[in-house]
Amino acid sequence: MILVLVETDATGAVEVSRETLTFARDLSAAGGGVPIDAVVVGALPCPVADLAAQLASYGVRDVHHATGDAFGAYGGAAWASAVQSVRASVGSVVVTAAGTPRGMEVLAHLAARLDVTMAANVVAFDGLAPFTVTRQVVGGAALEDMVLGERPAIFTVAGHAVEATTAATPGEGRVVTTAPEVAAADLVARVVSAEPAQEDLSGGLKSARVVVGAGRGAGSADGFGDLLELVDLLDGALGVSRVVTSLGWRPHHEQVGQTGSRISPDLYVACGISGAIQHWAGCASAKTILAINTDPDAPMVAKAHYAVIGDLHEVVPAINEEIRRRRPA
Amino acid sequence: MSLDVLVCVKRVVDSTGEVVLTEDGQSADGRYAGFTLSNHEECAIELAVQTATAAGGSASVLTLGEPEAVDQLRSALAVGCTAATHIGADPGAFGPADVAREIAAVIRDHEGSGRPHDLVLLGNDAADTGDFQVGIRLAHELGRPVVNGAATIAVEDGHVVAGVKGPEGRETYRVPLPAVVTVLEGGVEPRYPTVPGRMKAKKVEIEQRTPSTEPAGPNRRRLRLPPPQPSEVQVLGKGADAAAAVVDLFEQLGVVAR
C-alpha cells in the first residue's frame, strides 16, 4: 500500500499534493495496482467529505483523517507521529508527500524515527527491484539515481515532476477518522502564533498567471518603475533574481529560484536575467518564457521560448505603450 | 544567560555556473567552478553570530568534509565565529543520517568537556545534495526539539523564538533550549568579512576530529546531468521595435485582451 500525505487548502488538496497522488498512481500501476491511501492531519480548511470525493477522483482508496488536540497547531514531529500511526495501521510499503517545506519536514521526521533513508525531490522512479528513484540535486542542475531499498520507502515528489491528472478509475474515497496518540516530546516544536504577513505576497507570486521577472539588468532599486507597470498591465506579479534581493533592491519574498519561490505561470517575462541555474530552478516550469536581454548568448535567452534582444529599459516601456495603445478606449 | 551557538556548514561546489560531474558520477566537480557555502548556511552563520552576540555568548562553526573544507570554516571565523571544528572525511561517503550522527558525537563530546552547545543552527538544505534531513536527524540523535526553515531567531527566557514563512503567513515557534533550528535564506543579510576579520580567522586553531563510525552512505548510484535541451528560442526582434511582436504574443497567449 502506498500512503500519501496530502496537504490541503480551501479548495481541497493543494496542487502539488495532487501531483504527488498522480505520481503515486504511476507507481501503483508499476507495482501491479497496489492501493493508494491518503492521510490528512488536523483541522481541514475544507469539508472532509468534499476532500475525500476529490481524492477519490485521483484514485485514493481510504482517506485517513488524523484529528485531535495535538494537531490544533502545526508541528512537524506531531504530524510525523500521525503519519507513522496510520502507516503502522495500514502497513504501507511506500510513504510519500509533496516536496513542500511541510512535506519535507514531516517525512524527514518519519524517516529519522524509523531510521530509514528518505529521498527528497524525486522526479521519476526507475525500477522496483530494487526500488530506484531519480531526484533533483544541485538545484535541479543534476539528477541523482538513488536506491530506496528499505521499507517503508520514503520520498517527496518535486513540484511539477508530473502533471496532476485524475484517475481513469476513481478510488473509493472512504473517510477513516483516527485520533493518534502523540508523545509530549513531539509537541514541543509547534506553531504558537501565525499571522498573515508581508511574506504572504509570495503567495501571489506562486499563483500568478503571469510573472514579470527582473534581474541585475534592472540597474538599481529605482529601476523597477516600468517593470511594475508591465506587471500591472498584465495583472501579474513581480519576481526577481537572487542578485536583486542580495543588493537590497527588492524584498526576499519576491525572489524566484532555488532558495526563493518556485513558480509555474502561463507566462514568465524574464527581463535582464542571465539565467543562472539557481534562478532556472525556480522558473523552469513556466509554460511560456519570454526573455528580454542585451546578451543574445545568455542562458535565459537560450532556454526561453521567445526572446527580445535589448535593454529592458528600452523594451519594457515600449511594450507598455503598445499594450495601452491597443486597449479599447 | 551566556549562549553558545554552534552552526554546521558544508563545503559545496559553486553551482552558479555550469555544473560538471566527476568521472565516476559520484559528485559535482569543483576543480574549475570553485567551492562555497549554501545561501541558507551563510544566513545561519549570520544568525548564529547575531544571536550569540545579543546574548553575550559565542558562536562556533563545524563542518564534515575534506581538508580543504577548512576554508569554509575560516570564512565563518572571519565574520564572527570564534571556534571551529573540522571532522575530516570524504563527505560523498556520508548520507544525511551519517552526518547527523557525527555532528551529534561532537556535540556530546563538547558537552562532556564542559562546553555545551545551547543552540545548533544548520542550513535548511545543502545546495548540492538537497537532502532536507540533517537538522531533523540531528535533533532526533540528541533528543532535542527542532524548528525548520527559520528566517529569524531570537533567544529569550531560555527559549529560541523562530520566525518561519508558513503556507498562510508568518508562523512563530517558541521552543526551549537546547534546540536545533534549520535556517532558510531571506530573513537576514549575511555580512562580508573584513580584512582584520580574515587575518584573525587565520590564527584560530581548528579542532581536528575523525569520524566516530563507518558511514552507511547516501544510497547514491550515480549523478548525471539532464540531457541538454537544444535551444528553440524564437527571437521576436531587437530593442523597442520588438514591442508590437511581443504584444501580439501576449494576445495569442491570452494574457492581454485582443
Side-chain angles (χ1 to χ4, degrees):
Chain A
M1 206 273 291
I2 299 169
L3 184 63
V4 181
L5 171 65
V6 168
E7 295 175 62
T8 57
D9 61 17
T11 66
V14 299
E15 186 182 3
V16 280
S17 285
R18 288 184 276 118
E19 290 170 359
T20 303
L21 288 166
T22 306
F23 188 99
R25 225 168 47 234
D26 292 342
L27 187 58
S28 163
V34 292
I36 300 168
D37 279 10
V39 54
V40 291
V41 185
L44 301 176
C46 55
V48 68
D50 293 353
L51 175 66
Q54 183 194 43
L55 296 182
S57 73
Y58 281 83
V60 169
R61 182 186 66 175
D62 291 344
V63 179
H64 302 269
H65 182 201
T67 63
D69 293 344
F71 312 116
Y74 172 75
W79 275 43
S81 180
V83 175
Q84 184 179 12
S85 172
V86 171
R87 190 204 79 76
S89 69
V90 298
S92 51
V93 293
V94 171
V95 183
T96 184
T100 61
R102 288 197 170 165
M104 297 282 196
E105 180 176 18
V106 173
L107 292 205
H109 272 287
L110 182 66
R113 65 180 68 201
L114 295 175
D115 195 21
V116 300
T117 303
M118 173 185 128
N121 280 327
V122 167
V123 293
F125 64 94
D126 297 336
L128 297 177
F131 183 31
T132 308
V133 294
T134 298
R135 70 186 193 98
Q136 293 175 337
V137 293
V138 201
L143 300 170
E144 177 185 33
D145 295 330
M146 182 174 174
V147 176
L148 288 175
E150 300 145 316
R151 290 289 175 268
I154 296 178
F155 64 90
T156 64
V157 177
H160 315 303
V162 296
E163 189 178 345
T165 57
T166 53
T169 309
E172 292 158 66
R174 294 177 302 221
V175 176
V176 181
T177 303
T178 176
E181 285 187 18
V182 178
D186 290 334
L187 295 171
V188 174
R190 307 169 75 192
V191 174
V192 294
S193 67
E195 53 185 285
Q198 281 198 329
E199 292 95 310
D200 249 350
L201 296 170
S202 66
L205 175 60
K206 287 177 190 167
S207 61
R209 191 174 165 223
V210 180
V211 174
V212 177
R216 190 188 291 274
S220 72
D222 297 327
F224 288 81
D226 295 320
L227 292 158
L228 289 167
E229 188 182 358
L230 181 58
V231 167
D232 194 38
L233 289 166
L234 297 176
D235 194 20
L238 180 71
V240 299
S241 65
R242 183 168 190 269
V243 69
V244 169
T245 58
S246 295
L247 290 166
W249 295 350
R250 300 293 302 181
H252 182 268
H253 67 252
E254 293 177 351
Q255 185 174 314
V256 171
Q258 186 182 355
T259 56
S261 295
R262 296 191 180 214
I263 58 170
S264 53
D266 289 345
L267 172 64
Y268 183 51
V269 187
C271 305
I273 296 176
S274 64
I277 289 162
Q278 283 79 1
H279 186 79
W280 185 249
C283 68
S285 298
K287 291 186 180 68
T288 300
I289 296 176
L290 165 66
I292 299 172
N293 207 299
T294 53
D295 178 4
D297 298 321
M300 184 57 82
V301 173
K303 290 173 178 173
H305 304 95
Y306 301 93
V308 173
I309 309 305
D311 184 340
L312 72 90
H313 294 296
E314 293 172 13
V315 178
V316 173
I319 293 171
N320 292 346
E321 176 57 32
E322 182 67 15
I323 293 173
R324 283 195 300 269
R325 193 184 67 77
R326 294 193 194 185
R327 272 190 170 173
Chain B
M1 69 176 285
S2 178
L3 185 79
D4 187 289
V5 185
L6 174 68
V7 57
C8 303
V9 300
K10 182 181 182 184
R11 175 183 171 89
V12 294
V13 171
D14 186 342
S15 58
T16 49
E18 187 184 356
V19 172
V20 178
L21 303 179
T22 54
E23 279 183 16
D24 63 1
Q26 289 302 302
S27 60
D29 190 340
R31 281 178 299 176
Y32 307 107
F35 293 86
T36 186
L37 294 171
S38 82
N39 306 144
H40 301 320
E41 287 170 358
E42 288 176 346
C43 292
I45 292 169
E46 180 62 31
L47 282 173
V49 172
Q50 283 186 14
T51 309
T53 303
S58 59
S60 52
V61 58
L62 174 151
T63 196
L64 180 150
E66 56 274 84
E68 294 81 2
V70 166
D71 292 347
Q72 278 61 50
L73 293 178
R74 297 223 182 267
S75 296
L77 290 166
V79 293
C81 290
T82 53
T85 303
H86 174 224
I87 307 169
D90 168 15
F94 284 69
D98 301 317
V99 175
R101 202 171 297 123
E102 294 302 329
I103 297 171
V106 172
I107 290 171
R108 287 195 199 99
D109 274 5
H110 284 179
E111 199 169 52
S113 59
R115 191 184 148 206
H117 299 292
D118 308 296
L119 177 61
V120 183
L121 302 183
L122 306 93
N124 192 62
D125 56 283
D128 54 355
T129 53
D131 284 312
F132 290 86
Q133 297 167 64
V134 174
I136 287 172
R137 288 185 182 271
L138 175 64
H140 276 257
E141 283 282 332
L142 296 171
R144 295 182 182 185
V146 57
V147 178
N148 271 304
T152 61
I153 56 171
V155 169
E156 52 186 45
D157 302 330
H159 290 71
V160 60
V161 179
V164 175
K165 189 173 80 175
E168 288 166 16
R170 182 186 162 85
E171 297 173 341
T172 302
Y173 291 74
R174 179 181 163 87
V175 300
L177 296 172
V180 176
V181 176
T182 74
V183 173
L184 203 62
E185 183 193 20
V188 69
E189 278 300 317
R191 73 188 73 181
Y192 292 101
T194 60
V195 173
R198 286 187 190 281
M199 298 303 289
K200 194 175 168 187
K202 281 185 183 174
K203 295 176 187 163
V204 176
E205 189 174 339
I206 291 173
E207 177 191 8
Q208 294 289 344
R209 301 180 60 104
T210 53
S212 60
T213 57
E214 276 296 309
N219 291 25
R220 173 179 301 151
R221 278 199 161 167
R222 64 174 180 139
L223 296 177
R224 55 196 164 90
L225 297 175
Q229 299 293 320
S231 176
E232 294 177 0
V233 65
Q234 182 182 336
V235 177
L236 298 176
K238 289 187 177 179
D241 292 345
V246 169
V247 181
D248 286 347
L249 173 67
F250 288 174
E251 287 180 350
Q252 238 178 66
L253 296 172
V255 297
V256 294
R258 282 178 193 268

